[in-house]
Every structure is written in C-alpha cells, then in structure tokens.
C-alpha cells in the first residue's frame, strides 16, 4: 500500500465523518513513510492526540495546519497544555512580514 493513498483515503473518511476509518488509514500511512507529517496531523486531529500534533510540528515546524489542529485540540480540552505553549515558539519569533525578529 502507498502512504499517499492511505492519507487520501483517511481524508475522504474524515470528510464523511467516519472517524475510525480516518484514524486507521492515517495510522497505516505512518509506518510506510515515517516522517509523513500530514499523516500525523490527520491522526492527531481525528484522535485529539497532542502527541501526534507535536510530532507533526517537529517534522514540519512551519506547517500552519498543524498549529491550527493543535489549537483546536487545546480549546476543546484535549490537554495539549505545555506542549501547545511550547509549540508556538517558532511563530512568536516571526513578524507578519515573515522575517525573524
């Protein structure tokens, strides 16, 4: 199976609110491509798992969707806590123009 196909199937399942299938497809993509940030992001969003979202940010520190998902988990009581606060550090050092401060 191809990691990209697993990811697309997971995204389609998520769009149909088939969370268990979305989680399963994202989980299958990860061992196929260990550094597949999108698979961690999708699984983290579906499971409300801050560890998966932290891994996404570790792999792609300037990936806005990962931060959006982390905020959603945090605001809905997903317990991102300290990991959430620490993960925003790269963005706090960047001006709106995109240049480091």
């Amino acid at each position: 199976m191809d990691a990209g196909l697993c990811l697309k199937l997971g995204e389609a399942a998520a769009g149909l609110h088939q969370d268990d299938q979305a989680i399963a497809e994202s989980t299958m993509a990860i061992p196929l491509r260990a550094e597949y940030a999108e698979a961690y992001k999708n699984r983290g969003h579906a499971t409300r798992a801050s560890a998966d979202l932290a891994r996404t940010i570790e792999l792609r520190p300037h990936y806005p969707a990962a931060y959006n998902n982390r905020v959603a988990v945090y605001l809905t009581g997903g317990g991102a806590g300290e990991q959430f606060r620490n993960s925003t550090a790269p963005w706090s050092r960047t001006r709106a123009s995109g240049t480091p401060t």
Side-chain angles (χ1 to χ4, degrees), residues 77-90:
E82 189 62 30
Q83 286 183 344
F84 168 78
R85 286 185 288 283
N86 290 339
S87 73
T88 61

Side-chain angles (χ1 to χ4, degrees), residues 32-89:
L32 297 172
R33 193 183 314 167
E35 296 190 3
Y36 203 5
E38 290 81 2
Y40 284 101
K41 176 194 64 77
N42 289 353
R43 187 173 74 175
H45 181 72
T47 62
R48 317 309 275 171
S50 61
D52 279 340
L53 297 170
R55 179 70 176 140
T56 304
I57 292 166
E58 180 183 316
L59 293 170
R60 287 185 57 195
H62 297 285
Y63 186 22
Y67 290 91
N68 289 341
N69 286 353
R70 168 126 338 140
V71 168
V73 168
Y74 179 74
L75 292 176
T76 58
E82 189 62 30
Q83 286 183 344
F84 168 78
R85 286 185 288 283
N86 290 339
S87 73
T88 61

